[in-house]
Structures are given as structure tokens and as C-alpha cells.
Amino acid sequence: MGLAAGALSGRALGRGDVEDATQWPWDVAKLTAALMFGVGLIAVLIPEVLLKIFLTNEDAIRVATWPLRFTGITVAGDALSLTMQNALLGVGDAARVAMVSIGTQWLLFLPVAYVGVTKWGFDLNWMWGLYVGQRVLQAVIYAAMWKDGKWRKIKLS
């Protein structure tokens, strides 16, 4: 869906229809978030059932239950992140997308994860929660970047 938002926004921008280009990602994000909310709700309510499709070891299922719930809780927000990220890429704003992606992963998440595991004893649930937090942060940043409209001034050759 994110690729569709990027393609539709880029196409509208190519036609010179900035208003249409501006609206596409929001419309796609609403649809995607609604669909992913349903998937996430299943992951939150019956994670063990889902995990048993892929895992047979009861200890592995027990350990993976809360990380899957964290994912289920935030999957609609992650859909927003991917939609806005791909919309920005579709209109040529790759440099800022790369800065956010690299910054939140390599300069924020990984150093905090390293210290969390080596110094503070974070377990898998903490680590997964931290990862989910990083994805939510990206969603907020990408949505703000789309809203600020700087992508409208990019000239593609």
C-alpha cells in the first residue's frame, strides 16, 4: 500500500496536481491502518494461536507472545510509517527519508539497544518494545515531513 501511495502521489505531482498528490498518502494510510488494525487485534487477542502456526516449541511460543502483542498493538501505526515513507520516496524526497531511517535506526535504536542489553539487562520484551517505539517515532516524523510540504519543492529530472 505504501508503494501505491508513492506511485499515486508521484503521478499526481507529475501532472502538476499538488492537492491530489498531497491527499493520496492520507487516504491510503487510513485504509491501510484500518486493515492492519484488524490484523493487529488478532495478534493481540490470540497470539499463541498465530505463533503455533510457525512454532512447535512451547518455550519459544511463550517467549514470542508479548513481542507479537507489541507488534499487534502498533501495526496500524507502522502502516502509517510505511505509507508516508513510500509517499515521500515516490515524490523524490529520498534524502530526507534516508536521514530519518538511518538516524532512528543507527543513531538511536541500535545504541540504546546495545546499552540496554549490555548494561541494563533488557530482555526480549524490552528490546521489542524499544523497536516498536522506534517505528512509531518514524511514523510521526514521516507524517510531519509529509505535512510540512517541503517535498513539493523537489524538482526531478
Side-chain angles (χ1 to χ4, degrees):
M1 297 297 272
L3 293 174
L8 292 165
S9 292
R11 184 173 169 212
L13 201 57
R15 291 193 316 267
D17 191 345
V18 176
E19 186 176 320
D20 193 35
T22 301
Q23 190 58 42
W24 269 117
W26 297 115
D27 292 344
V28 172
K30 285 183 254 183
L31 174 64
T32 306
L35 293 170
M36 295 310 293
F37 177 79
V39 172
L41 190 59
I42 293 168
V44 169
L45 297 176
I46 55 169
E48 295 88 355
V49 173
L50 292 176
L51 289 167
K52 285 180 182 177
I53 295 169
F54 304 101
L55 302 172
T56 56
N57 182 293
E58 289 298 320
D59 287 334
I61 292 168
R62 182 185 49 75
V63 168
T65 296
W66 274 105
L68 183 57
R69 280 191 172 124
F70 291 150
T71 301
I73 290 167
T74 60
V75 73
D78 202 30
L80 172 66
S81 177
L82 290 170
T83 300
M84 293 304 174
Q85 176 187 34
N86 282 286
L88 288 161
L89 291 170
V91 296
D93 204 353
R96 290 195 316 154
V97 168
M99 286 190 304
V100 170
S101 182
I102 291 167
T104 58
Q105 183 171 344
W106 290 93
L107 301 177
L108 181 65
F109 171 73
L110 289 174
V112 173
Y114 175 78
V115 171
V117 168
T118 61
K119 304 290 185 203
W120 301 328
F122 282 4
D123 65 5
L124 178 62
N125 290 333
W126 273 101
M127 294 307 301
W128 204 258
L130 183 61
Y131 171 73
V132 165
Q134 179 240 344
R135 297 295 296 167
V136 169
L137 176 62
Q138 279 185 337
V140 169
I141 294 170
Y142 288 139
M145 286 168 58
W146 188 261
K147 192 173 182 178
D148 77 17
K150 290 179 183 172
W151 54 269
R152 292 180 181 124
K153 297 176 182 87
I154 295 172
K155 300 293 181 209
L156 301 175
S157 46

